[in-house]
Short mmCIF file of all heavy atoms in Angstrom, two decimals:
data_model
loop_
_atom_site.label_atom_id
_atom_site.label_comp_id
_atom_site.label_asym_id
_atom_site.label_seq_id
_atom_site.Cartn_x
_atom_site.Cartn_y
_atom_site.Cartn_z
N ALA B 66 -14.38 69.93 -39.69
CA ALA B 66 -14.73 68.85 -38.77
C ALA B 66 -14.07 69.09 -37.41
O ALA B 66 -14.65 68.79 -36.36
CB ALA B 66 -14.28 67.51 -39.34
N GLY B 67 -12.87 69.62 -37.43
CA GLY B 67 -12.16 69.93 -36.19
C GLY B 67 -12.54 71.33 -35.73
O GLY B 67 -12.50 72.28 -36.51
N ARG B 85 -20.44 70.73 -36.06
CA ARG B 85 -19.20 70.58 -36.83
C ARG B 85 -19.50 69.90 -38.16
O ARG B 85 -20.55 69.28 -38.33
CB ARG B 85 -18.15 69.81 -36.03
CG ARG B 85 -18.54 68.41 -35.73
CD ARG B 85 -17.56 67.72 -34.82
NE ARG B 85 -17.75 66.27 -35.01
CZ ARG B 85 -17.10 65.58 -35.91
NH1 ARG B 85 -16.20 66.14 -36.69
NH2 ARG B 85 -17.34 64.29 -36.07
N LEU B 91 -16.22 65.08 -47.18
CA LEU B 91 -15.12 65.04 -46.21
C LEU B 91 -14.69 63.59 -45.94
O LEU B 91 -13.50 63.27 -45.88
CB LEU B 91 -15.61 65.68 -44.92
CG LEU B 91 -14.66 66.48 -44.06
CD1 LEU B 91 -14.17 67.70 -44.78
CD2 LEU B 91 -15.37 66.90 -42.78
N MET B 95 -11.03 61.93 -46.92
CA MET B 95 -10.09 61.34 -45.95
C MET B 95 -9.83 59.87 -46.27
O MET B 95 -8.69 59.39 -46.15
CB MET B 95 -10.63 61.50 -44.52
CG MET B 95 -9.62 61.13 -43.46
SD MET B 95 -8.08 62.10 -43.53
CE MET B 95 -8.57 63.59 -42.65
N GLY B 139 -8.95 56.73 -33.52
CA GLY B 139 -10.19 57.44 -33.85
C GLY B 139 -11.05 56.55 -34.71
O GLY B 139 -10.57 56.01 -35.71
N ALA B 140 -12.29 56.36 -34.28
CA ALA B 140 -13.21 55.51 -35.05
C ALA B 140 -14.53 56.25 -35.23
O ALA B 140 -15.60 55.68 -35.17
CB ALA B 140 -13.43 54.18 -34.32
N GLY B 141 -14.40 57.59 -35.48
CA GLY B 141 -15.60 58.41 -35.62
C GLY B 141 -16.02 58.55 -37.07
O GLY B 141 -15.87 57.62 -37.87
N ALA B 142 -16.53 59.75 -37.42
CA ALA B 142 -17.06 59.99 -38.75
C ALA B 142 -16.01 59.72 -39.83
O ALA B 142 -16.34 59.24 -40.92
CB ALA B 142 -17.54 61.44 -38.85
N LEU B 143 -14.73 59.99 -39.52
CA LEU B 143 -13.66 59.76 -40.50
C LEU B 143 -12.93 58.45 -40.22
O LEU B 143 -12.72 57.64 -41.13
CB LEU B 143 -12.67 60.93 -40.48
CG LEU B 143 -13.29 62.29 -40.83
CD1 LEU B 143 -12.24 63.39 -40.73
CD2 LEU B 143 -13.90 62.27 -42.22
N GLY B 144 -12.53 58.23 -38.96
CA GLY B 144 -11.76 57.04 -38.63
C GLY B 144 -12.52 55.75 -38.93
O GLY B 144 -11.91 54.76 -39.39
N TRP B 161 -9.13 52.43 -32.65
CA TRP B 161 -9.15 52.78 -31.23
C TRP B 161 -9.99 54.03 -31.02
O TRP B 161 -9.86 55.00 -31.77
CB TRP B 161 -7.72 53.03 -30.75
CG TRP B 161 -7.59 53.38 -29.30
CD1 TRP B 161 -7.74 52.53 -28.24
CD2 TRP B 161 -7.25 54.65 -28.75
NE1 TRP B 161 -7.52 53.21 -27.07
CE2 TRP B 161 -7.22 54.52 -27.35
CE3 TRP B 161 -6.97 55.90 -29.30
CZ2 TRP B 161 -6.92 55.57 -26.48
CZ3 TRP B 161 -6.68 56.97 -28.45
CH2 TRP B 161 -6.66 56.79 -27.06
N SER B 162 -10.85 54.01 -30.02
CA SER B 162 -11.70 55.17 -29.74
C SER B 162 -11.86 55.33 -28.23
O SER B 162 -11.36 54.52 -27.45
CB SER B 162 -13.06 55.02 -30.41
OG SER B 162 -13.65 53.79 -30.04
N ARG B 163 -12.58 56.37 -27.85
CA ARG B 163 -12.79 56.64 -26.41
C ARG B 163 -13.85 55.70 -25.85
O ARG B 163 -13.71 55.13 -24.78
CB ARG B 163 -13.20 58.11 -26.24
CG ARG B 163 -13.03 58.70 -24.88
CD ARG B 163 -13.39 60.18 -24.92
NE ARG B 163 -14.68 60.38 -25.56
CZ ARG B 163 -15.86 60.27 -24.95
NH1 ARG B 163 -15.92 60.01 -23.67
NH2 ARG B 163 -16.97 60.45 -25.62
N THR B 164 -14.94 55.56 -26.62
CA THR B 164 -16.04 54.67 -26.22
C THR B 164 -16.14 53.54 -27.25
O THR B 164 -15.66 53.69 -28.38
CB THR B 164 -17.37 55.44 -26.16
OG1 THR B 164 -17.62 56.02 -27.45
CG2 THR B 164 -17.32 56.56 -25.11
N ARG B 166 -16.85 51.22 -30.24
CA ARG B 166 -17.41 51.41 -31.59
C ARG B 166 -17.31 50.11 -32.34
O ARG B 166 -16.35 49.37 -32.14
CB ARG B 166 -16.63 52.47 -32.37
CG ARG B 166 -16.59 53.82 -31.72
CD ARG B 166 -17.81 54.62 -32.05
NE ARG B 166 -17.94 55.78 -31.18
CZ ARG B 166 -19.04 56.49 -31.04
NH1 ARG B 166 -20.12 56.16 -31.72
NH2 ARG B 166 -19.09 57.52 -30.24
N LEU B 193 -6.47 59.82 -36.59
CA LEU B 193 -7.65 60.61 -36.97
C LEU B 193 -8.41 61.02 -35.72
O LEU B 193 -9.64 60.99 -35.66
CB LEU B 193 -8.54 59.80 -37.92
CG LEU B 193 -7.96 59.64 -39.33
CD1 LEU B 193 -8.78 58.71 -40.19
CD2 LEU B 193 -7.82 61.00 -40.02
N LEU B 194 -7.64 61.43 -34.71
CA LEU B 194 -8.24 61.92 -33.47
C LEU B 194 -8.42 63.43 -33.55
O LEU B 194 -7.64 64.12 -34.20
CB LEU B 194 -7.31 61.61 -32.28
CG LEU B 194 -7.12 60.14 -31.92
CD1 LEU B 194 -5.97 59.97 -30.94
CD2 LEU B 194 -8.41 59.55 -31.35
N PRO B 195 -9.42 63.95 -32.85
CA PRO B 195 -9.55 65.41 -32.76
C PRO B 195 -8.50 65.96 -31.79
O PRO B 195 -7.94 65.22 -30.98
CB PRO B 195 -10.96 65.59 -32.17
CG PRO B 195 -11.23 64.34 -31.41
CD PRO B 195 -10.47 63.24 -32.08
N ASP B 199 -7.04 65.60 -24.10
CA ASP B 199 -6.68 64.18 -23.91
C ASP B 199 -5.82 63.62 -25.04
O ASP B 199 -5.20 62.57 -24.87
CB ASP B 199 -7.94 63.32 -23.80
CG ASP B 199 -8.66 63.55 -22.50
OD1 ASP B 199 -8.02 64.01 -21.54
OD2 ASP B 199 -9.88 63.28 -22.45
N THR B 200 -5.84 64.26 -26.20
CA THR B 200 -5.11 63.69 -27.34
C THR B 200 -3.78 64.40 -27.61
O THR B 200 -3.01 63.94 -28.45
CB THR B 200 -5.96 63.70 -28.63
OG1 THR B 200 -6.24 65.07 -28.98
CG2 THR B 200 -7.26 62.95 -28.45
N GLY B 221 -3.58 62.48 -40.33
CA GLY B 221 -4.60 63.30 -41.00
C GLY B 221 -5.51 63.98 -40.00
O GLY B 221 -6.47 64.65 -40.37
N GLY B 222 -5.19 63.79 -38.69
CA GLY B 222 -6.05 64.36 -37.64
C GLY B 222 -5.64 65.78 -37.30
O GLY B 222 -6.08 66.74 -37.93
N ARG B 223 -4.77 65.91 -36.33
CA ARG B 223 -4.24 67.22 -35.96
C ARG B 223 -2.79 67.06 -35.53
O ARG B 223 -2.41 66.04 -34.92
CB ARG B 223 -5.03 67.82 -34.79
CG ARG B 223 -6.37 68.42 -35.18
CD ARG B 223 -6.21 69.68 -36.04
NE ARG B 223 -7.47 70.32 -36.36
CZ ARG B 223 -8.16 70.17 -37.49
NH1 ARG B 223 -7.70 69.35 -38.43
NH2 ARG B 223 -9.27 70.83 -37.71
N ASP B 247 -0.17 65.57 -42.80
CA ASP B 247 -1.02 66.59 -43.45
C ASP B 247 -1.30 67.75 -42.52
O ASP B 247 -1.75 68.80 -42.97
CB ASP B 247 -2.35 65.93 -43.86
CG ASP B 247 -3.22 66.85 -44.70
OD1 ASP B 247 -2.73 67.29 -45.75
OD2 ASP B 247 -4.37 67.11 -44.30
N VAL B 248 -1.04 67.54 -41.22
CA VAL B 248 -1.40 68.53 -40.20
C VAL B 248 -0.22 68.70 -39.25
O VAL B 248 0.53 67.75 -39.00
CB VAL B 248 -2.66 68.07 -39.43
CG1 VAL B 248 -3.91 68.26 -40.28
CG2 VAL B 248 -2.55 66.62 -38.98
N HIS B 271 -2.37 70.37 -45.33
CA HIS B 271 -3.72 70.25 -44.73
C HIS B 271 -4.80 70.15 -45.81
O HIS B 271 -5.73 70.96 -45.87
CB HIS B 271 -3.99 71.44 -43.79
CG HIS B 271 -5.06 71.14 -42.78
ND1 HIS B 271 -5.01 71.58 -41.48
CD2 HIS B 271 -6.21 70.43 -42.89
CE1 HIS B 271 -6.09 71.16 -40.83
NE2 HIS B 271 -6.84 70.46 -41.67
N VAL B 272 -4.61 69.14 -46.65
CA VAL B 272 -5.54 68.97 -47.79
C VAL B 272 -6.17 67.58 -47.81
O VAL B 272 -6.83 67.23 -48.79
CB VAL B 272 -4.80 69.18 -49.14
CG1 VAL B 272 -4.44 70.63 -49.33
CG2 VAL B 272 -3.56 68.28 -49.22
N ALA B 273 -5.97 66.80 -46.74
CA ALA B 273 -6.47 65.42 -46.77
C ALA B 273 -7.96 65.38 -47.05
O ALA B 273 -8.43 64.61 -47.88
CB ALA B 273 -6.15 64.71 -45.46
N ALA B 274 -8.71 66.21 -46.37
CA ALA B 274 -10.17 66.19 -46.54
C ALA B 274 -10.70 67.62 -46.49
O ALA B 274 -11.22 68.05 -45.47
CB ALA B 274 -10.82 65.32 -45.47
N ARG B 306 -16.33 67.42 -23.77
CA ARG B 306 -15.41 66.44 -24.37
C ARG B 306 -14.35 67.15 -25.20
O ARG B 306 -13.26 66.63 -25.41
CB ARG B 306 -16.16 65.53 -25.34
CG ARG B 306 -16.90 64.38 -24.76
CD ARG B 306 -17.48 63.48 -25.86
NE ARG B 306 -17.65 64.11 -27.15
CZ ARG B 306 -18.33 63.59 -28.16
NH1 ARG B 306 -18.92 62.41 -28.03
NH2 ARG B 306 -18.43 64.21 -29.31
N TYR B 308 -14.86 67.84 -28.48
CA TYR B 308 -15.01 67.48 -29.91
C TYR B 308 -16.44 67.07 -30.20
O TYR B 308 -17.23 66.92 -29.28
CB TYR B 308 -14.04 66.36 -30.31
CG TYR B 308 -14.31 64.97 -29.71
CD1 TYR B 308 -15.00 64.00 -30.42
CD2 TYR B 308 -13.89 64.67 -28.42
CE1 TYR B 308 -15.23 62.75 -29.88
CE2 TYR B 308 -14.12 63.42 -27.87
CZ TYR B 308 -14.80 62.47 -28.59
OH TYR B 308 -15.04 61.23 -28.05
P1 NAP X 401 -15.32 62.36 -34.70
O1 NAP X 401 -16.44 61.81 -35.52
O2 NAP X 401 -15.65 63.22 -33.53
O3 NAP X 401 -14.42 61.14 -34.25
C1 NAP X 401 -13.36 61.29 -33.34
C2 NAP X 401 -12.91 59.93 -32.91
O4 NAP X 401 -11.83 60.09 -31.99
C3 NAP X 401 -14.01 59.17 -32.16
O5 NAP X 401 -13.96 57.79 -32.46
C4 NAP X 401 -13.64 59.42 -30.70
O6 NAP X 401 -14.08 58.43 -29.80
C5 NAP X 401 -12.15 59.39 -30.80
N1 NAP X 401 -11.55 60.06 -29.64
C6 NAP X 401 -11.67 61.35 -29.25
N2 NAP X 401 -11.00 61.57 -28.11
C7 NAP X 401 -10.45 60.39 -27.77
C8 NAP X 401 -9.65 59.97 -26.68
N3 NAP X 401 -9.29 60.81 -25.71
N4 NAP X 401 -9.28 58.67 -26.63
C9 NAP X 401 -9.65 57.81 -27.60
N5 NAP X 401 -10.42 58.15 -28.67
C10 NAP X 401 -10.80 59.43 -28.74
O7 NAP X 401 -14.32 63.24 -35.61
P2 NAP X 401 -14.04 63.04 -37.16
O8 NAP X 401 -15.07 63.71 -37.99
O9 NAP X 401 -13.75 61.61 -37.43
O10 NAP X 401 -12.71 63.91 -37.33
C11 NAP X 401 -11.54 63.60 -36.61
C12 NAP X 401 -10.54 64.72 -36.76
O11 NAP X 401 -9.98 64.72 -38.06
C13 NAP X 401 -11.12 66.12 -36.63
O12 NAP X 401 -11.31 66.48 -35.27
C14 NAP X 401 -10.08 66.97 -37.30
O13 NAP X 401 -9.12 67.37 -36.33
C15 NAP X 401 -9.43 66.00 -38.30
N6 NAP X 401 -9.70 66.39 -39.69
C16 NAP X 401 -8.65 66.65 -40.51
C17 NAP X 401 -8.89 66.98 -41.84
C18 NAP X 401 -7.75 67.21 -42.78
O14 NAP X 401 -7.97 67.70 -43.91
N7 NAP X 401 -6.54 66.85 -42.41
C19 NAP X 401 -10.20 67.07 -42.31
C20 NAP X 401 -11.23 66.80 -41.44
C21 NAP X 401 -10.97 66.45 -40.13
P3 NAP X 401 -15.66 58.14 -29.60
O15 NAP X 401 -16.05 57.42 -30.86
O16 NAP X 401 -15.73 57.30 -28.42
O17 NAP X 401 -16.32 59.49 -29.47
#
Side-chain angles (χ1 to χ4, degrees):
R85 64 186 201 89
L91 214 64
M95 190 59 82
L143 300 178
W161 181 73
S162 54
R163 199 176 50 84
T164 58
R166 301 276 166 195
L193 288 173
L194 293 168
D199 289 338
T200 63
R223 282 292 184 263
D247 188 57
V248 285
H271 202 142
V272 290
R306 278 186 338 192
Y308 69 98

